[in-house]
């Protein structure tokens, strides 16, 4: 095995340098660097205490935020349940209103049929006693021949009043009202 002269030279220089350093008392740290090292060592506990204090404060804030997040989630869940309950109540009320509307409509249809099937003289006596708006509502639902027989038996003033109500029922109605009227 052949050794390279450069390698031997490099090793020799390193060994001589190492021996010289040992004999001279080692490497001396300049005074400025030594003072800074002492300052760093002196302030390290203060920095660590400050960092620990900040870490504790951040942990407390995190706990507060987590608590608030849980409270918000609970409130959101409660609101969602309340909204669902209100929607169910609304649906129930709409069902009841539809039922009531159907019952009213059935009652009006039945009563209109009763008035149509009465003798015109007897129905005229009833319609004379009725409020003109109320009477006009029934007459509008009746077959034209039955309504005519009743109207012919009314006094001219009463027949005129009911006719005016019938003619003016939809004059002041808005589009929304007209769409919702039967």
């Amino acid at each position: 095995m052949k050794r390279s002269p450069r390698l031997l030279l490099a090793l020799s220089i390193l060994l001589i340098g190492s021996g010289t350093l040992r004999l001279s008392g080692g490497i001396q740290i300049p005074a400025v660097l030594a003072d800074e090292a002492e300052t760093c060592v002196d302030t390290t506990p203060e920095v660590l205490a400050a960092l620990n204090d900040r870490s504790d404060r951040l942990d407390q804030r995190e706990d507060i935020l987590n608590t608030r997040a849980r409270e918000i989630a609970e409130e959101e869940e409660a609101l969602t349940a309340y909204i669902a309950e209100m929607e169910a109540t609304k649906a129930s009320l709409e069902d009841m209103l539809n039922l009531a509307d159907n019952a009213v409509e059935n009652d009006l249809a039945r009563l209109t049929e009763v008035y149509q099937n009465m003798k015109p003289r007897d129905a005229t006596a009833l319609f004379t006693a009725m409020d003109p708006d109320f009477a006009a509502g029934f007459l509008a639902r009746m077959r034209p021949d039955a309504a005519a027989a009743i109207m012919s038996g009314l006094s001219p003033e009463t027949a005129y009043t009911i006719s005016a109500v019938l003619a003016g029922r939809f004059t002041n109605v808005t589009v929304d009202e007209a769409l919702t009227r039967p």
Side-chain angles (χ1 to χ4, degrees):
M1 189 187 305
K2 215 176 189 186
R3 296 190 184 187
S4 165
R6 287 185 188 166
L7 180 61
L8 288 175
L9 179 64
L11 284 174
S12 302
I13 292 173
L14 287 174
L15 286 173
I16 292 171
S18 172
T20 305
L21 280 174
R22 285 177 186 238
L23 292 174
S24 68
I27 299 175
Q28 296 294 321
I29 299 174
V32 174
L33 291 177
D35 289 343
E36 286 182 16
E38 280 183 31
T39 306
C40 287
V41 171
D42 291 343
T43 58
T44 301
E46 294 169 3
V47 171
L48 286 175
L51 287 174
N52 285 334
D53 184 46
R54 180 162 174 88
S55 176
D56 290 343
R57 286 193 316 254
L58 288 175
D59 288 343
Q60 288 173 351
R61 285 184 184 169
E62 183 180 12
D63 290 343
I64 290 170
L65 290 175
N66 286 337
T67 300
R68 285 183 183 167
R70 278 192 304 276
E71 289 170 353
I72 288 171
E74 289 170 2
E75 289 296 323
E76 188 176 77
E77 191 176 303
L79 282 174
T80 301
Y82 181 74
I83 288 170
E85 182 181 329
M86 289 296 107
E87 287 175 350
T89 301
K90 178 184 173 188
S92 175
L93 286 173
E94 285 175 351
D95 289 346
M96 286 176 37
L97 286 173
N98 286 336
L99 184 65
D101 284 347
N102 288 338
V104 166
E105 183 59 35
N106 289 340
D107 290 348
L108 288 174
R110 183 174 290 129
L111 197 52
T112 300
E113 191 173 326
V114 167
Y115 290 152
Q116 283 180 148
N117 292 328
M118 288 176 73
K119 293 181 182 175
R121 187 183 52 162
D122 295 335
T124 299
L126 270 173
F127 276 80
T128 301
M130 284 183 197
D131 178 79
D133 289 331
F134 192 67
F138 283 112
L139 288 170
R141 292 171 154 267
M142 288 184 180
R143 292 185 323 269
D145 61 321
I150 294 171
M151 289 284 281
S152 65
L154 295 173
S155 70
E157 294 83 18
T158 305
Y160 172 77
T161 303
I162 292 173
S163 295
V165 169
L166 280 170
R169 283 189 337 165
F170 296 108
T171 57
N172 293 325
V173 174
T174 65
V175 173
D176 289 336
E177 289 175 330
L179 292 175
T180 57
R181 280 196 176 189

